[in-house]
């Protein structure tokens, strides 16, 4: 059986420097006896932004894998060209085609270690379930948000984002490196197990389904007039309900959450999202039965030539 | 008596956004009964970098107040021009001359709230002593480092840097805002007390005197080959001694501190200092008797026309 090639991307955002360090310095030592392990292809997502110590040069690379952008050859944005380059290099029809992609990110939010799944592709869900079953990490299901489109992993037939935080931008912190490596190793071993038919799936998965994002209160000219309430800082994954303080005005006034039921905030006060006018995203925690079809699709996908 | 004008600078580094928020949203409410309080002039240090969400555009503004740079009119660096602008505006001989400057910064390092004093000017030491006596904050005495010159506060007859951390770059966090405001209010009230002759000085001050800075281990091409040891992360102000783990190599090897006695690390793994090749600075903790001359100089300085 041909073992699948897995693309590992670090530095899709140039100021998230822990994943590139992982890819430069970490060697995968499979713990399985089996020889038919996955093959790895490592790539620095946005080398120009990485060199500049910035998230991106012209536009967010991880919002640039949109069909309209990729086919717009009048675009001079560096990241649109880079997205094409990555697809030509490592996409399904590329020179060195990779089946699966793991896109390794970090965040200034207190997200711990988690996976982000874009939409409900069976193979993504199967892989996320395997990793969650093994490590207990949260899964953030991003879907149905028309203001946020064109994520890298969506351009491969199967792919997940790994998010680890909190860590400031441009800061190398070994605890983040280790958490990233741990997820990476778990993912690769689980994929290897599929090859040798030792993959075991959970009965259910817990997902945090994206509902939408909240902006800070702003004045008529778009300037923020309140900041995140201190009680919410670092409270990613903790449910909020009616009455939870959300935003604090300089005069001491407080905006409180004013809807029924519970929602779970993620990416609270992520530094890079200020420009996207996102002070946090809200999710609903759901327990889904693991569907047999996901497993079947993932098995035949991983084992196919 | 003419009350002195104090210049408050936030955003000298454009990606340290908590101080600009303080200056925009905070109003000084003197707690003293006295009317002769200080007058405040607020300014955004580096507006272009602040807008771009970057530390600086062409060069670090807080290393640009060097005489050779300020007099070099062939320089096209935005920050050299901005330094001149700030001096023309608010310097001793400027249009709106300010006596004293407080330059408000934040850091990704776990520095807590502290003051940085550049050199041993009696007025700086007197003011730092007053604030330390009141709040107990650490004082980092930066001196004798020829690789780091041209700090903003040195261009005013008296001035301190306020550093608060940890907080990621470009992140507004209300706990940082509050710590910054607290120091600011303490400083302004202490200066006001000098005016009404209610200033009371400690018998001694504790300073952490700069010894030098350490770089990460690098290969021949200048790339870091080890990272900060996880046991040192967030250990700012905690003494290190022979045997303390300093740097961790990908293969697990560890560089340990190998000198006699104790030193105290500060600005450990500050994100902005990677480009300066500083993984931390080392200091010596010293207790100095408070000198009468500092008080006399500061009193006559604050009270002079």
């Amino acid at each position: 059986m041909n073992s699948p090639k897995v693309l590992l991307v670090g530095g899709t955002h140039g100021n998230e420097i822990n994943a590139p360090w992982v890819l430069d310095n970490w060697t995968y030592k499979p713990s399985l006896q089996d020889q038919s392990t996955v093959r790895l292809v490592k790539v620095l997502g946005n080398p120009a932004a990485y060199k500049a110590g910035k998230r991106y040069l012209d536009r967010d690379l991880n919002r640039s894998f949109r069909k309209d952008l990729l086919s717009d050859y009048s675009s001079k944005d560096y990241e649109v060209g880079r997205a094409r380059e990555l697809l030509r290099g490592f996409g399904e029809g590329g020179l060195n085609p990779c089946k699966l992609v793991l896109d390794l990110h970090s965040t200034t939010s207190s997200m711990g270690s988690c996976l982000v799944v874009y939409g409900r592709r069976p193979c993504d869900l199967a892989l996320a379930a395997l990793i969650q079953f093994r490590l207990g990490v949260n899964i953030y299901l991003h879907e149905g948000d028309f203001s946020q489109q064109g994520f890298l992993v969506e351009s491969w037939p199967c792919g997940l984002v790994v998010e680890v935080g909190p860590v400031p931008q441009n800061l190398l912190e070994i605890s983040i490196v280790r958490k990233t490596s741990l997820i990476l190793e778990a993912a690769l071993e689980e994929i290897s197990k599929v090859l040798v038919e030792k993959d075991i799936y959970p009965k259910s998965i817990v997902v945090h389904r994206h509902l939408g994002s909240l902006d800070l209160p702003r004045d008529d000219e778009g300037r923020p007039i309140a900041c995140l309430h201190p009680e919410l800082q670092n409270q990613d994954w903790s449910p909020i309900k009616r009455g939870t303080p959300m935003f604090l005005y300089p005069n001491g006034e407080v905006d409180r959450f004013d809807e029924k039921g519970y929602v779970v905030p993620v990416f609270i006060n992520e530094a890079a999202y200020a420009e996207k006018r996102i002070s946090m995203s809200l999710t609903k925690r759901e327990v889904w039965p693991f569907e047999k079809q996901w497993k079947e699709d993932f098995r035949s996908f991983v084992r196919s030539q």
Side-chain angles (χ1 to χ4, degrees), chain A residues 104-125:
Chain A
L104 310 172
H105 289 250
S106 64
T107 167
T108 67
S109 300
S110 295
M111 292 287 278
S113 296
C114 73
L115 305 172
V116 190
V117 179
Y118 295 87
R120 304 187 184 199
R121 300 187 301 191
C123 288
D124 294 350
L125 291 168

Side-chain angles (χ1 to χ4, degrees), chain A residues 26-38 134 182 184-190 192-193 196 198:
Chain A
W26 158 95
T27 311
Y28 178 46
K29 300 183 197 81
S31 63
L32 293 172
Q33 300 303 310
D34 195 87
Q35 296 300 308
S36 57
T37 56
V38 295
R134 178 178 173 136
L182 181 68
L184 196 47
E185 281 159 19
L188 298 175
E189 285 189 18
E190 292 305 318
S192 298
K193 283 186 191 166
V196 296
K198 288 185 173 167

Side-chain angles (χ1 to χ4, degrees), chain A residues 224-260:
Chain A
I225 54 173
C227 59
L228 187 83
H229 195 282
E231 288 178 27
L232 259 192
Q233 182 70 37
N234 304 324
Q235 296 305 309
D236 304 81
W237 307 111
S238 299
I240 58 182
K241 57 176 182 175
R242 181 163 283 169
T244 300
M246 303 292 282
F247 303 113
L248 177 67
Y249 292 82
N251 65 4
E253 274 180 35
V254 173
D255 275 354
R256 291 173 187 278
F257 192 69
D258 193 26
E259 289 177 35
K260 277 187 194 163

